Amino acid sequence: MNEILPIVIYIVVALAVLGSLAALLVRSRRTPPGTYSTTRDPDDDGGTAARGVGTDTLERPSGLDTGPDVVVPDDLRDLEDTPTGVETVPVETPDPVQGRLARLRARLAKSNNALGKGLLALLSRDRIDEDVWDEIEETLLLADLGTEPTTELVDALRERVKIAGSRSPEEVKGMLREELIKLVDPTMDRSLATDRHADRPAIVMVVGVNGVGKTTTVGKLARVLVAEDKDVLLGAADTFRAAAAEQLATWGQRVGVPTVKSDVDGADPASVAFEAVKAGIEGEVDVVMIDTAGRLQNKVGLMDELGKVKRVIEKQGTVDEVLLVLDATTGQNGLNQAKVFSEVVNITGIVLTKLDGTAKGGIVVAIQRSLGVPVKLIGLGEGADDLAPFEAEEFVDALLN
């Protein structure tokens, strides 16, 4: 018994020493007091951000403080100071707007233009009977022109061809050009509301369903505005799609434009949008553009949330422009999307992407007729500068060339 007792004592002492060393090690790994780089938010419980739960800004109108989730650039005008070890993106000089317009017109004219070429071929026949007029009507409908505009165009062409009595290609082309321009409506105001107000930036929201190229469009539009010598700030309010914020930030970095985003996936989109507008006001920028999540038009709750984002933004200033991005190749489905979005956020303009498939070019007329909202921008490719202001006469001329 006496021989065992010393062994037991040694074991107890060893366990005590090991316990003390473990406690010291744990304490040494904790962050020492006073080492936080910023002041802690007074109502930050230390768990909300970690769980990815955003602040419901509609229920906190007194300040809409989003805590540490939203990252706002410290200095919106000093974009060259990059932390050591962080890879930088070279700042590019976007092409002038007029240069992009010329390139887009050339691309549209060279594409497989079923609308313009098909109509010219039909109207130039030696004899135009009812069968030919039926083919013309079918061509227009397949181009997603819409039933009412198709009827108007066919009736107008019937009358003009009957009166003219001529079949020369140039004369027929002139008739068709004039009637198509009337349908596209050059009188609609297609200017973008991106001029700074006296006390705040212009605010632009960009909406649309997943897959239409919405975030890419925001990045391309930033390039257009930078080419116009405007100071721009982006807000990454698409917090549900993986890497959407990083994608937008990369677009911004390419032209020296900062991005306000959240560090937490699934953070409250309204909070991010609010902070972006706030940062834009404080930074005295010209334009704040907000990229939103790709709302499915049949998801009522998600559409309601999109309306919430707009209401929260307008606590600081009226949204000047709400651009709906549509894929031109979706045809009538795009028209249905436009109708649903217009009921939620009062669409002010349409951006048509992927318009290099010009067989669907008639959707320009159909959307404008249905909503009374102009197509303001078009995109014809994947290039960084393949976005340009829409011009009615230039668009029709490209279709017919």
Side-chain angles (χ1 to χ4, degrees):
M1 186 69 177
N2 291 335
E3 294 176 355
I4 298 175
L5 183 59
I7 296 174
V8 172
I9 293 173
Y10 290 146
I11 293 174
V12 171
V13 171
L15 290 174
V17 171
L18 289 174
S20 299
L21 290 174
L24 287 172
L25 181 61
V26 170
R27 280 197 295 270
S28 68
R29 292 171 63 88
R30 293 178 179 171
T31 303
T35 60
Y36 290 106
S37 58
T38 58
T39 304
R40 295 300 295 270
D41 190 278
D43 50 34
D44 180 6
D45 63 1
T48 301
R51 292 190 300 270
V53 180
T55 303
D56 186 346
T57 53
L58 289 180
E59 297 178 0
R60 297 185 60 192
S62 60
L64 298 169
D65 195 350
T66 59
D69 288 356
V70 180
V71 178
V72 182
D74 292 332
D75 185 354
L76 300 181
R77 298 184 182 277
D78 187 10
L79 298 172
E80 296 182 359
D81 293 339
T82 304
T84 303
V86 177
E87 183 179 353
T88 60
V89 177
V91 176
E92 303 172 4
T93 301
D95 288 348
V97 173
Q98 292 305 315
R100 287 196 296 272
L101 279 171
R103 189 168 63 252
L104 295 182
R105 284 196 299 267
R107 184 174 301 170
L108 185 60
K110 293 178 181 178
S111 63
N112 184 18
N113 186 349
L115 176 58
K117 293 178 181 177
L119 290 177
L120 284 175
L122 290 169
L123 288 169
S124 299
R125 290 185 181 180
D126 293 335
R127 181 173 180 272
I128 302 180
D129 54 20
E130 286 302 317
D131 290 338
V132 173
W133 285 116
D134 287 343
E135 288 185 59
I136 292 172
E137 185 172 343
E138 182 181 358
T139 299
L140 293 170
L141 290 174
L142 288 175
D144 287 321
L145 192 68
T147 304
E148 184 179 336
T150 293
T151 301
E152 288 183 22
L153 180 58
V154 170
D155 288 347
L157 287 174
R158 273 177 179 266
E159 185 66 21
R160 295 190 64 170
V161 168
K162 180 179 179 181
I163 293 174
S166 172
R167 296 292 183 273
S168 71
E170 288 303 316
E171 189 174 3
V172 170
K173 182 177 180 179
M175 295 179 191
L176 182 56
R177 178 182 185 275
E178 291 175 8
E179 295 304 326
L180 282 174
I181 288 175
K182 287 181 185 177
L183 285 179
V184 177
D185 194 354
T187 65
M188 299 187 83
D189 182 9
R190 302 180 194 277
S191 61
L192 290 173
T194 55
D195 291 333
R196 178 179 166 81
H197 300 271
D199 58 342
R200 67 170 180 84
I203 303 172
V204 179
M205 275 184 68
V206 181
V207 302
V209 301
N210 286 325
V212 296
K214 182 166 42 55
T215 299
T216 299
T217 296
V218 176
K220 291 182 179 181
L221 182 53
R223 298 177 68 89
V224 172
L225 296 175
V226 168
E228 295 175 351
D229 201 27
K230 291 185 183 292
D231 194 6
V232 182
L233 174 70
L234 305 179
D238 183 353
T239 60
F240 298 104
R241 184 170 65 86
E246 288 74 14
Q247 179 187 0
L248 186 65
T250 300
W251 273 102
Q253 289 170 11
R254 291 172 65 178
V255 288
V257 170
T259 301
V260 173
K261 59 188 180 68
S262 174
D263 275 345
V264 179
D265 291 337
D268 181 22
S271 295
V272 177
F274 182 90
E275 290 299 324
V277 174
K278 180 181 177 182
I281 293 173
E282 294 174 350
E284 298 182 351
V285 303
D286 297 317
V287 185
V288 175
M289 285 199 297
I290 306 297
D291 180 27
T292 61
R295 308 300 175 189
L296 297 174
Q297 70 272 17
N298 59 345
K299 301 292 185 180
V300 177
L302 293 178
M303 294 301 291
D304 288 344
E305 186 176 315
L306 186 61
K308 170 189 169 182
V309 170
K310 186 171 184 286
R311 292 193 300 273
V312 168
I313 290 174
E314 292 188 329
K315 291 177 181 293
Q316 302 180 89
T318 303
V319 174
D320 300 284
E321 193 86 65
V322 180
L323 298 176
L324 172 63
V325 181
L326 294 175
D327 181 339
T329 64
T330 61
Q332 291 298 313
N333 186 43
L335 180 58
N336 294 333
Q337 293 173 17
K339 290 178 180 178
V340 175
F341 275 96
S342 67
E343 295 171 359
V344 179
V345 286
N346 188 28
I347 303 299
T348 60
I350 303 294
V351 181
L352 274 180
T353 63
K354 306 177 186 177
L355 202 57
D356 43 352
T358 53
K360 298 294 184 181
I363 196 65
V364 171
V365 175
I367 288 176
Q368 291 183 162
R369 282 293 187 90
S370 177
L371 301 181
V373 173
V375 173
K376 293 190 173 184
L377 295 161
I378 56 172
L380 296 180
E382 300 298 327
D385 291 312
D386 287 339
L387 183 75
F390 179 84
E391 296 181 2
E393 293 190 17
E394 298 287 354
F395 176 71
V396 171
D397 286 341
L399 287 177
L400 297 179
N401 287 332

